[in-house]
Amino acid sequence: MRSVLAVHPAYRDDIADLVTRRPLPGPDVEQVDPFLFLNHHGPQTYPPGNRGLPFGPHPHRGFETVTFILEGSLSHLDTGGHESIIEAGGVQWMTAGSGLVHAELSPEAFKREGGPMEILQLWVNLPPSLKMTEPRYTGVQRADIPALSIAAGNGTLNLVSGEFGGATGPIKSLTDVFMSWVELKAGAKAALQAEKGRHVFLYVVAGRVDIAGTQVDKYHLVELTDDDDTFIVAAADDAVLLFGHATPIDAPLVAHGPFVMNSEDEIRQAYADYRDGKFGDPAKLIRASS
């Protein structure tokens, strides 16, 4: 069985009136290669007539964003021509690759009516050979994500990418990333698997769980050993976990603001390319979302 190496708390880093917790990166963990960054927004309830999310047009290069809309809804616009509104239970997967500008905003209906909101955004690194790949985007609604029974019927694994129990997730990862979120009822016990040598990304979104004999509360990231292919999760309360795994990239990492590359020179080039308009015109996104 895999065992727990460390448990890392998420730290509050609110953005205006948006409740935000960030377990990665943290004081004791820079990354769980290739997983780089996680923002947990909410849970909170927005009143009618709210201003919505504050993520207007901004650039990215060199990695992927995977956004889980647990509650509420999220509009996506980017300079690659992709546009969608994803509702609760859906996922947005964007490969920034060589670079684009995107906006992540609340739809007009949510700003008008308000309601509960909880969103997770995970950054996944790309290897050097794919840093400059063509940008792409896939938005998937809840109905298109397989909900697979686990824990003797007392849990559900929602499969976003990869394979599990004979099912295949709707999103094809460029780097064979397995991604899901897991829901467990209080008292449920599940054996989760990741091939030996792959790094597991495991974040407790809600509830209390026992992971490989270690008690873990909500808003904590768990680092596991990679010397086996199985670990046990037992839920003390109704629980939700973000669960993924991938082969580590093991390459130099230089991150600065919205860009994640392999050298300082590549970061400087990213800023130059953005200033020169090579990521597309962000003004188009402002007009489209206004």
Side-chain angles (χ1 to χ4, degrees), residues 149-213:
S149 177
I150 59 173
N154 293 307
T156 303
L157 185 144
N158 301 284
L159 183 61
V160 176
S161 66
E163 297 182 355
F164 184 90
T168 300
I171 296 176
K172 175 65 175 177
S173 165
L174 292 175
T175 55
D176 192 29
V177 172
F178 174 93
M179 188 53 61
S180 71
W181 78 95
V182 173
E183 301 166 285
L184 295 173
K185 296 178 182 178
K189 182 181 289 188
L192 300 178
Q193 293 187 322
E195 185 179 343
K196 182 178 177 180
R198 287 169 68 90
H199 286 178
V200 166
F201 186 87
L202 191 65
Y203 174 69
V204 182
V205 178
R208 293 181 300 123
V209 295
D210 178 298
I211 299 172

Side-chain angles (χ1 to χ4, degrees), residues 18-218:
L18 177 61
V19 174
T20 299
R21 296 175 176 87
R22 183 176 304 117
L24 187 72
D28 301 316
V29 57
E30 180 182 4
Q31 63 170 320
V32 182
D33 186 12
F35 304 103
L36 301 172
F37 173 99
L38 179 67
N39 261 355
H40 182 177
H41 303 301
Q44 66 191 98
T45 299
Y46 277 69
N50 65 81
R51 293 177 297 175
L53 295 172
F55 305 119
H58 56 281
H60 287 307
R61 171 180 279 181
F63 64 99
E64 302 182 284
T65 63
V66 186
T67 308
F68 301 80
I69 300 91
L70 300 183
E71 292 191 283
S73 57
L74 184 62
S75 168
H76 172 97
L77 296 163
D78 68 46
T79 50
H82 309 110
E83 181 175 352
S84 71
I85 294 176
I86 301 300
E87 305 292 343
V91 173
Q92 298 176 344
W93 192 305
M94 185 186 79
T95 303
S98 60
L100 46 64
V101 179
H102 75 150
E104 302 156 294
L105 300 168
S106 298
E108 288 303 316
F110 184 85
K111 290 191 287 186
R112 183 175 60 252
E113 300 166 11
M117 190 282 303
E118 186 172 15
I119 291 173
L120 306 169
Q121 185 171 94
L122 177 66
W123 292 12
V124 183
N125 200 8
L126 288 169
S129 62
L130 291 174
K131 287 289 185 188
M132 298 297 286
T133 194
E134 182 179 355
R136 65 188 71 187
Y137 168 82
T138 303
V140 182
Q141 303 288 5
R142 179 69 187 92
D144 297 319
I145 297 173
L148 307 172
S149 177
I150 59 173
N154 293 307
T156 303
L157 185 144
N158 301 284
L159 183 61
V160 176
S161 66
E163 297 182 355
F164 184 90
T168 300
I171 296 176
K172 175 65 175 177
S173 165
L174 292 175
T175 55
D176 192 29
V177 172
F178 174 93
M179 188 53 61
S180 71
W181 78 95
V182 173
E183 301 166 285
L184 295 173
K185 296 178 182 178
K189 182 181 289 188
L192 300 178
Q193 293 187 322
E195 185 179 343
K196 182 178 177 180
R198 287 169 68 90
H199 286 178
V200 166
F201 186 87
L202 191 65
Y203 174 69
V204 182
V205 178
R208 293 181 300 123
V209 295
D210 178 298
I211 299 172
T214 298
Q215 300 294 318
V216 183
D217 287 330
K218 64 181 178 180

